Amino acid sequence: MTVTFKVGSIQTSQCLGQFEHFYHLMCRKLVNNIDRRNKQHLYPLAIAFVDNPSTRYKSDKPKLFGTHPSVAPHVHSVMIIHPSIKRKFLERYRELEELWQDMNPRHGTIKISVSEMLYYNRLIENYAGNEDEIESKLKGWIGYSGKLQTRFDRPDCDLFTILPPSGKNRFDRF
């Protein structure tokens, strides 16, 4: 899943917070009685990371291209959907697109790659036979998500998050 923002409408440091808020609302649509602790295993596992393509490297100095819509900061995420809510996710994913855009006027688009989701679902059903392909793809995603960390010694904001949040207060955040 990739969520975008309108150019100039958000700072990179705010992107993950907006995505996390969306994640909580999405969980409420997908999981009944979400406040019950015995439902925690149904929450989608999401690894989300900020991509700010307005910073491009040419030699050792960043070059900014901040006026084109394709360079606005956005959040990519890899989600693992529990099998018991997969059907509900597939039935309601278009509602999630509307939810993202209705949350805030600075939100842009949301891309949910259902065909890719179903493809990897088929691969995982025979994990032993497809282990190399799955691991290769995951390594690519992780490498891509880590690109900003390798470019900045001390980033001024978090570059990724893992949801649902861990710790004793994780249920209070919903």
Side-chain angles (χ1 to χ4, degrees), residues 1 3-5 9-26 48 50 73-75 99-108 110 161 163 173:
M1 178 182 300
V3 295
T4 67
F5 301 89
S9 68
I10 192 166
Q11 294 179 348
T12 303
S13 61
Q14 299 170 325
C15 292
L16 286 178
Q18 289 293 307
F19 180 82
E20 187 170 348
H21 182 65
F22 168 74
Y23 171 85
H24 297 295
L25 294 174
M26 178 186 74
V50 176
H74 52 275
V75 176
L99 174 65
W100 173 249
Q101 291 175 342
D102 289 345
M103 278 177 54
N104 194 312
R106 64 185 176 190
H107 289 176
I110 183 170
T161 188
L163 299 169
R173 299 176 79 177

Side-chain angles (χ1 to χ4, degrees), residues 61-145:
K61 296 180 181 177
K63 184 168 176 121
L64 298 175
F65 302 96
T67 58
H68 193 274
S70 66
V71 298
H74 52 275
V75 176
H76 296 289
S77 65
V78 176
M79 284 192 190
I80 299 172
I81 307 292
H82 193 277
S84 66
I85 65 167
K86 181 178 97 174
R87 192 182 97 234
K88 195 172 192 179
F89 181 87
L90 291 171
E91 290 171 353
R92 303 185 93 177
Y93 81 93
R94 292 196 195 285
E95 292 175 36
L96 299 177
E97 295 174 26
E98 293 171 15
L99 174 65
W100 173 249
Q101 291 175 342
D102 289 345
M103 278 177 54
N104 194 312
R106 64 185 176 190
H107 289 176
T109 62
I110 183 170
K111 179 184 176 201
I112 301 171
S113 183
V114 173
S115 60
E116 194 170 356
M117 176 185 145
L118 295 173
Y119 173 74
Y120 285 104
N121 186 62
R122 286 190 298 276
L123 286 180
I124 290 171
E125 287 173 356
N126 180 19
Y127 182 78
N130 299 308
E131 184 176 357
D132 290 341
E133 183 177 352
I134 294 167
E135 286 184 15
S136 172
K137 190 66 167 176
L138 281 173
K139 285 178 185 177
W141 290 332
I142 291 168
Y144 184 78
S145 69

